[in-house]
Amino acid sequence: MADATFYFPADFKWGTATAAHQVEGQNTNNQWWAWEQAPGHIQNGDRSGDACGWWQDAEPDFDRMVEMGCNAHRLSIEWSRIEPREGRFDSAAVGRYRAMLLSLRRRGIEPMVTLHHFTNPQWLEERGGWEHTDVVVPLFARYAARVVKDMGDLCDLWCTVNEPNIYASLGYLSDHRMPPGLTNRLDKAMAVMCNMLLGHAAAYRALHERQSLARVGLAHHMRLFQPLHPSSLADRTVACLLDGAFNRDILNALLHGRWSLAMWRGRPPSPRPLRGTLDWVGVNYYSRQGVAFDRASPATLFARLVNMPDVPLSDFGYGDIHPEGILPLLKLLAAGRLPVYITESGLPDADDRLRPGFILRQLRALWSAVQFQLIQGYYHWTLTDNFEWGEGWRMKFGLYAFDASTGIRTPRRSALLYRDIIRRNGIDGDIVREYAPELVEQLFPG
Ligand code: IFM
């Protein structure tokens, strides 16, 4: 089978993904900037600082996308730049984003614009961030309306919010990993997650009211939860509970307009506005998560998070390498019959030891899914190494290495691999032999 080619559809979108705060630099007016200034919040005391300098000059990186042959890019708009004071909108910031979108389009790269990727304007943070439905939902809808009014001629593919489950769990459950840095506040985590979904729904309507052909979705971080001991009923049960809370509850809410029991205590707002507010679903997939029953961990639904044995880990134990884990997750989406974008996928791997194999296995798995589901594109996380939130600069997710002290970008082998895959619009034996010969048998058995 070594001469077979796993072709992708002719109109498949090949892209990379970035987020404003991680690449722009000097985003001084959001809660993350404030969070970074306090000691102990970011590994090695790192700060986003000038990041990758996109606010001044993103265009050379757009050229790198062109060199790889990309026809798509997912970027985010920084709310705190567009609306630096509540109700005051900044036309110069709008101008800069317009210039970026135009530059992408001129290069044949279709932009997907994310409206919220982890950062809040500081004024919103002071009003409770995403904690209060009545405050944040109308404000987010007004911001979305403004963005589509000002940029709708340059973009019609919108991602409202990025990873509500990660934003809520790292900000409200885990210990100081994201602002506001609360621990074990399951009540608030659930309220925040639901408010982000209600915000998504309100933004969906605001975008469609002003742009009839808008295509609106959100990026859902999904993980495959696997019992550490498959024969243990307790491990299987907690894996199933986490799968529900992390993966399925959000989908049920959006697809069927139902909160799960766990999602909201007290009197929740009606979930009805959520129904019918997805034109597509985005999946961010990185790794599998092993879980074991642990009666001492009520905050994580009695699960202890572990690494599966004998599986290579990406840098700093970020996750195990199991790209095929995306397939069972994609099946969860099938009931929605919606187009799917892989809005992020990648790993931190400074030496680029594991990334080529990861990309090839990930795309091979997606190729199987493409036969059954409408998967419209793949956005690799990310173009160049960038500011990885609480991990600072130490985690290197880039197809290009980025030296923050000189600004120099150097392509890793994975950038060349991605270029070759895009040129071929698929994966063939030659590509696998060149970049990950150890996978030839696995990808082309017989
Ligand atoms: O860098 C992040 C991104 O902002 C959201 N999804 C996961 C990525 C890697 O951790």
Side-chain angles (χ1 to χ4, degrees):
M1 199 170 141
D3 288 323
T5 300
F6 298 110
Y7 283 117
F8 282 77
D11 57 354
F12 196 73
K13 294 290 174 199
W14 295 106
T16 48
T18 54
H21 191 74
Q22 294 177 269
V23 294
E24 285 177 358
Q26 297 301 318
N27 263 317
T28 56
N29 203 17
N30 66 33
Q31 96 283 27
W32 259 94
W33 185 272
W35 177 256
E36 290 162 29
Q37 310 313 309
H41 283 163
I42 314 290
Q43 290 289 338
N44 304 321
D46 287 351
R47 293 178 178 175
S48 56
D50 289 332
C52 304
W54 273 31
W55 194 246
Q56 304 305 327
D57 192 15
E59 283 67 7
D61 276 344
F62 297 170
D63 289 335
R64 291 183 178 90
M65 298 170 193
V66 173
E67 278 159 28
M68 288 190 296
C70 293
N71 57 6
H73 179 68
R74 173 176 173 234
L75 73 168
S76 78
I77 300 257
E78 175 61 37
W79 188 353
S80 67
R81 287 196 191 270
I82 299 287
E83 192 177 356
R85 303 272 163 274
E86 187 175 344
R88 298 254 182 91
F89 294 87
D90 182 340
S91 53
V94 168
R96 174 69 189 122
Y97 282 119
R98 285 189 59 81
M100 284 197 215
L101 295 176
L102 208 54
S103 298
L104 285 168
R105 287 208 166 277
R106 285 204 182 111
R107 287 166 172 78
I109 296 175
E110 182 187 51
M112 172 191 282
V113 167
T114 304
L115 296 176
H116 187 274
H117 194 124
F118 293 168
T119 52
N120 300 325
Q122 191 55 35
W123 57 260
L124 176 66
E125 192 71 3
E126 283 156 20
R127 296 190 63 190
W130 287 81
E131 289 176 25
H132 311 296
T133 317
D134 298 350
V135 174
V136 66
V137 172
L139 288 170
F140 187 60
R142 182 176 69 179
Y143 156 64
R146 188 70 187 214
V147 172
V148 70
K149 172 178 155 291
D150 288 345
M151 298 175 218
D153 56 327
L154 297 172
C155 179
D156 60 8
L157 184 57
W158 306 99
C159 174
T160 53
V161 259
N162 182 69
E163 300 180 343
N165 49 4
I166 294 285
Y167 177 93
S169 52
L170 295 192
Y172 292 86
L173 296 179
S174 69
D175 203 8
H176 276 87
R177 301 219 11 228
M178 273 199 181
L182 303 185
T183 308
N184 288 343
R185 290 303 306 264
L186 194 57
D187 54 339
K188 286 199 181 214
M190 290 303 167
V192 161
M193 195 159 85
C194 294
N195 285 335
M196 293 186 109
L197 300 186
L198 291 166
H200 152 80
Y204 178 94
R205 297 201 166 83
L207 293 166
H208 271 284
E209 256 167 42
R210 288 157 186 87
Q211 190 183 48
S212 53
L213 294 180
R215 293 165 292 153
V216 185
L218 57 61
H220 181 26
H221 189 122
M222 300 185 82
R223 273 193 199 177
L224 185 68
F225 292 97
Q226 279 210 334
L228 179 62
H229 303 106
S231 59
S232 151
L233 178 61
D235 286 6
R236 289 204 309 273
T237 305
V238 288
C240 180
L241 284 176
L242 279 183
D243 179 48
F246 197 81
N247 295 323
R248 283 181 281 118
D249 285 356
I250 286 187
L251 294 175
N252 280 334
L254 290 167
L255 296 175
H256 309 299
R258 277 198 305 262
W259 300 130
S260 78
L261 277 183
M263 272 173 110
W264 204 298
R265 282 101 200 275
R267 276 176 63 89
S270 166
R272 227 170 290 135
L274 301 179
R275 274 194 215 149
T277 60
L278 282 178
D279 301 321
W280 55 269
V281 193
V283 174
N284 293 1
Y285 178 77
Y286 287 85
S287 60
R288 168 176 55 180
Q289 181 66 66
V291 290
F293 174 72
D294 179 5
R295 72 178 73 241
S297 305
T300 46
L301 303 175
F302 298 99
R304 186 163 42 88
L305 306 180
V306 294
N307 292 320
M308 296 303 281
D310 303 326
V311 179
L313 293 179
S314 53
D315 292 351
F316 303 103
Y318 181 85
D320 74 10
I321 306 297
H322 187 58
E324 296 76 14
I326 199 167
L327 289 175
L329 299 172
L330 287 173
K331 280 195 191 139
L332 297 177
L333 306 179
R337 295 180 200 287
L338 291 166
V340 174
Y341 288 96
I342 309 307
T343 33
E344 290 180 25
S345 167
L347 71 168
D349 182 26
D351 300 337
D352 213 36
R353 199 170 38 93
L354 301 167
R355 191 179 286 104
F358 176 91
I359 293 176
L360 285 164
R361 286 171 57 191
Q362 181 74 104
L363 291 173
R364 169 65 184 85
L366 284 176
W367 180 87
S368 320
V370 164
Q371 313 308 310
F372 302 99
Q373 266 171 304
L374 194 54
I375 300 188
Q376 303 215 316
Y378 171 84
Y379 297 80
H380 188 81
W381 185 273
T382 181
L383 180 71
T384 70
D385 301 334
N386 58 39
F387 179 72
E388 176 57 21
W389 309 109
E391 298 293 339
W393 289 94
R394 69 177 190 165
M395 283 196 182
K396 316 282 188 197
F397 281 84
L399 294 169
Y400 283 73
F402 173 73
D403 180 337
S405 61
T406 60
I408 291 175
R409 281 89 161 142
T410 313
R412 295 194 165 100
R413 276 182 77 239
S414 291
L416 308 180
L417 165 63
Y418 200 38
R419 177 202 64 192
D420 288 353
I421 292 172
I422 296 173
R423 269 190 195 153
R424 192 91 178 99
N425 199 35
I427 300 171
D428 64 16
D430 288 343
I431 293 181
V432 179
R433 269 188 293 276
E434 180 166 354
Y435 292 96
E438 72 284 3
L439 291 181
V440 170
E441 260 311 301
Q442 181 181 337
L443 299 188
F444 301 100

